[in-house]
Amino acid sequence: MTISPARDNDLMVLEGLLTTIAPDSRPHLAAMGPVVDRACTSFVLKPFETSQTYQHLRARGVAVFHVTDDVLLIARVLASELASLPAHRQAEGIEGVILEQCCRWYALRVREWEGSSPRWIARCEVVDQGEERPFWGFNRAMHAVIEAAILASRVGILPSAEILDQLQRLRPLVDKTGGERERDAFAILGRVVLAKLCSEPATNETEHH
Ligand SMILES: Cc1cc2nc3c(=O)[nH]c(=O)nc-3n(C[C@H](O)[C@H](O)[C@H](O)COP(=O)(O)O)c2cc1C
């Protein structure tokens, strides 16, 4: 079946990882879910004003979005567990960095800002793109980890009972269909949720979608 041009214009949310560059020139990594057309020719980033990603995007107007099946990396990013950025190289078209272990990457330049606080809208053009390795494929545990990561980023926004309930529902998918990396990722996210629930009443949490 060929995808018609009309279908190419479907707008969808693509979950992945975004690198931006901090004021001190250090690369920053965050999970982000831009709105894209099916052919990935345009990206609309929706960063919360409280995020570092927003500040970096405002200051420099560039980022690199990565499509990945590495849900352990996404969990570790969300848990702020990484001491340094994983293997990466400089992008050529913009001042940005490309993660070498991703499946696909898109170097983005912000063309237009819209919206308002607390969540801004950055319409971006794709200035360069590439493929590093094939996508592994569908796996329910991987998807469950993505859902758990989003739940973890919503602590303080969603009721605690709802977050814990949804995590419990996701767990069997990870146990039954995942491998070691997915189980590790889910465990990391469980710890993030519990730590957040136990410590702060969510003053600077950001919501997703
Ligand atoms: C899959 C996924 C998608 C996300 N998408 C967004 C998003 O579109 N906008 C946003 O502000 N935060 C989003 N988040 C939450 C951010 O990753 C998280 O709040 C992070 O702390 C970003 O803040 P930072 O730039 O200060 O690191 C998402 C989280 C996950 C797990």
Side-chain angles (χ1 to χ4, degrees):
M1 190 186 93
T2 55
I3 298 175
S4 69
R7 288 258 180 108
D8 267 355
N9 291 335
D10 269 358
L11 293 181
M12 302 171 73
V13 176
L14 181 58
E15 312 294 358
L17 290 168
L18 191 78
T19 50
T20 51
I21 306 294
D24 63 3
S25 297
R26 295 216 321 228
H28 177 78
L29 185 54
M32 284 283 144
V35 177
V36 300
D37 58 305
R38 202 175 283 272
C40 296
T41 57
S42 72
F43 282 68
V44 179
L45 294 165
K46 296 183 177 177
F48 276 87
E49 196 170 75
T50 48
S51 67
Q52 295 171 76
T53 297
Y54 169 76
Q55 302 296 339
H56 302 165
L57 275 172
R58 266 291 182 193
R60 297 186 190 250
V62 289
V64 180
F65 181 79
H66 304 81
V67 176
T68 182
D69 49 22
D70 188 347
V71 294
L72 182 55
L73 178 59
I74 291 177
R76 297 185 71 203
V77 169
L78 207 94
S80 305
E81 262 195 6
L82 295 178
S84 59
L85 198 72
H88 59 278
R89 63 176 186 272
Q90 297 297 316
E92 283 174 17
I94 56 161
E95 190 191 2
V97 298
I98 299 164
L99 298 180
E100 290 180 352
Q101 286 304 313
C102 72
C103 299
R104 310 199 305 280
W105 55 267
Y106 298 86
L108 307 175
R109 190 186 308 279
V110 179
R111 274 283 155 230
E112 207 180 354
W113 280 101
E114 288 172 23
S116 57
S117 183
R119 199 174 191 181
W120 293 88
I121 294 175
R123 296 192 182 281
C124 304
E125 65 171 341
V126 178
V127 295
D128 198 7
Q129 60 184 283
E131 290 194 23
E132 302 293 312
R133 63 174 172 82
F135 187 73
W136 191 81
F138 291 121
N139 170 262
R140 296 177 74 197
M142 289 183 187
H143 289 275
V145 171
I146 299 294
E147 290 302 321
I150 289 169
L151 285 172
S153 74
R154 286 179 169 181
V155 173
I157 295 158
L158 291 177
S160 313
E162 189 178 328
I163 291 181
L164 293 172
D165 179 57
Q166 290 199 34
L167 279 180
Q168 280 308 110
R169 286 167 197 262
L170 292 168
R171 182 179 298 282
L173 293 177
V174 177
D175 291 343
K176 285 182 192 161
T177 74
E180 204 176 324
R181 293 176 69 83
E182 289 70 33
R183 287 192 290 276
D184 284 352
F186 198 77
I188 288 170
L189 292 168
R191 287 198 293 273
V192 169
V193 168
L194 286 184
K196 282 186 175 185
L197 286 178
C198 290
S199 62
E200 54 194 77
T203 46
N204 60 352
E205 301 301 334
T206 53
E207 191 187 0
H208 173 55
H209 313 308

